[in-house]
Amino acid sequence: KNVPAAEDIAADAGVVDMLVCFAQAASKSHRATDVFSPFPQVVDPENPKKLAFSPANPDYDKLKLVLSQFPSVQYLSQAKDHKDLQHRVSRAHRLASPLLQWIIHSNRSHILKIPDSKQVSKMATPHQYLLVTAPPKQQQRFRELKAQYGSKFAFHGSPIENWHCILREGLKSASGTKLQLHGAALGNGVYLAPEAGTSFGYCQGGYDGRGSNKAKNQQREDQMAPSDAAQRYLGRNPLCLALCEVINKDIKDCGWAWVTPDPEHVITRFFFVFDTDENGRRHMDTARSFNVSHGTNLEDIKKALELNGIA
């Protein structure tokens, strides 16, 4: 097929919207050559012997152009059948269909929308997902380490442009690499925080220190405002936060921030998306003070894990 089945998009429209949103943000970032990883390998639908997109010769401007012309997932989810869906996608751009297919099928993470009754209630946002980015081998090793050392929970915040890569390559230490956006005062490793409000501060998009806060905010608006933004399931300017389980070994705990030197000691469990409209800001204000160290909050996390069948 040139495009995913219409029923597949209808069933998982929110997740597909999120994947497209992340790809668009990564393509518009001034760090696109670093954060849009992996780069697509897509066959030209008009010439099967030719690649329209190739990691061997990445054309980021072309990628950005095609993604900017994507129709909204909400519009696509209204397709009556496969033929109607193909028409809706291909009329936007001739490469939109195969690129959408690549975006969906290159995602290696398990993402599942959580019903209201099984959510982490005190995180306030209705956009909550189960998120597993680790491959089975890492999950098994994590279980073994957990049995030996125990585990803790902590938040990880990252700019929306980074999640395209994280969903496909997992969390990794950016310290001392071209992916590093902030300082590494606490050493190399994956940075986490026990309080959601701290991690919110790391969710802002792609600022490189060369401009004012106003410029920073405008850049984020430009990144996250495609022409059909009003039709997004996730709103106009979403902020994303992961709640992770961390092996209680070799953690550098400075109170407000934790650093674990080994990325394989971190497993994503929940994924929270907050819009930045008025309702979204209220949700963030409620969730900001959520600290995993507080007993009732920890109970809330464990209850949600149990309801969702996660040991």
Side-chain angles (χ1 to χ4, degrees):
K1 298 179 185 179
N2 290 327
V3 292
E7 57 270 21
D8 291 340
I9 286 187
D12 296 306
V15 172
V16 174
D17 185 42
M18 187 160 54
L19 295 175
V20 171
C21 179
F22 294 164
Q24 289 174 326
S27 74
K28 293 179 181 181
S29 170
H30 67 273
R31 303 164 57 235
T33 56
D34 297 327
V35 299
F36 206 112
S37 177
F39 191 86
Q41 180 164 304
V42 173
V43 174
D44 190 323
E46 297 176 3
N47 184 356
K49 296 182 179 181
K50 178 183 176 182
L51 289 178
F53 292 107
S54 170
N57 186 28
D59 188 335
Y60 292 94
D61 290 335
K62 181 180 177 182
L63 179 63
K64 178 181 176 181
L65 174 65
V66 177
L67 284 168
S68 71
Q69 296 184 25
F70 262 38
S72 74
V73 174
Q74 186 174 9
Y75 169 71
L76 296 181
S77 69
Q78 296 167 357
K80 298 175 183 179
D81 51 34
H82 176 74
K83 183 178 180 180
D84 185 21
L85 176 62
Q86 187 171 18
H87 173 70
R88 290 177 183 233
V89 179
S90 59
R91 68 185 294 186
H93 193 285
R94 70 181 191 87
L95 298 179
S97 292
L99 184 56
L100 176 61
Q101 185 180 40
W102 180 87
I103 288 171
I104 293 172
H105 294 300
S106 66
N107 169 47
R108 74 169 202 183
S109 298
H110 174 70
I111 311 172
L112 182 65
K113 182 73 166 64
I114 303 176
D116 293 350
S117 61
K118 297 182 179 181
Q119 293 184 354
V120 182
S121 59
K122 294 181 181 179
M123 284 302 291
T125 177
H127 304 300
Q128 299 192 22
Y129 303 84
L130 292 177
L131 174 62
V132 179
T133 60
K137 186 176 180 180
Q138 183 183 342
Q139 293 181 51
Q140 177 58 37
R141 178 59 178 157
F142 186 90
R143 286 190 288 269
E144 294 170 356
L145 291 170
K146 180 179 175 179
Q148 186 175 0
Y149 299 104
S151 65
K152 303 165 74 172
F153 293 93
F155 292 101
H156 178 80
S158 194
I160 194 166
E161 66 198 58
N162 289 351
W163 287 101
H164 170 82
C165 178
I166 292 172
L167 293 182
R168 291 160 178 78
E169 299 179 3
L171 282 175
K172 49 191 174 184
S173 172
S175 305
T177 73
K178 59 187 178 180
L179 296 175
Q180 181 176 326
L181 271 177
H182 308 281
L186 304 181
N188 294 345
V190 178
Y191 277 65
L192 305 142
E195 189 167 88
T198 302
S199 291
F200 274 134
Y202 293 87
C203 295
Q204 301 301 316
Y207 183 53
D208 60 4
R210 293 195 294 263
S212 64
N213 285 336
K214 182 177 180 180
K216 171 182 176 179
N217 292 335
Q218 182 60 52
Q219 181 191 42
R220 189 165 186 277
E221 287 290 320
D222 292 343
Q223 272 188 316
M224 297 313 307
S227 58
D228 60 354
Q231 300 181 54
R232 282 203 178 284
Y233 284 91
L234 302 179
R236 183 182 178 88
N237 295 304
L239 293 179
C240 302
L241 202 64
L243 180 59
C244 307
E245 189 170 2
V246 191
I247 297 299
N248 194 12
K249 180 180 184 292
D250 299 329
I251 297 175
K252 184 176 289 187
D253 184 347
C254 294
W256 64 275
W258 303 349
V259 182
T260 181
D262 190 342
E264 295 200 352
H265 285 191
V266 183
I267 293 281
T268 54
R269 292 302 188 193
F270 295 109
F271 192 62
F272 307 104
V273 182
F274 295 83
D275 195 9
T276 51
D277 62 10
E278 186 175 350
N279 284 335
R281 287 195 298 271
R282 283 200 295 266
H283 294 154
M284 283 191 285
D285 288 341
T286 301
R288 196 175 299 279
S289 61
F290 188 104
N291 192 308
V292 297
S293 301
H294 297 168
T296 55
N297 292 341
L298 187 57
E299 290 174 8
D300 200 24
I301 294 170
K302 290 182 177 179
K303 179 181 178 182
L305 288 170
E306 182 179 349
L307 288 173
N308 287 284
I310 301 174

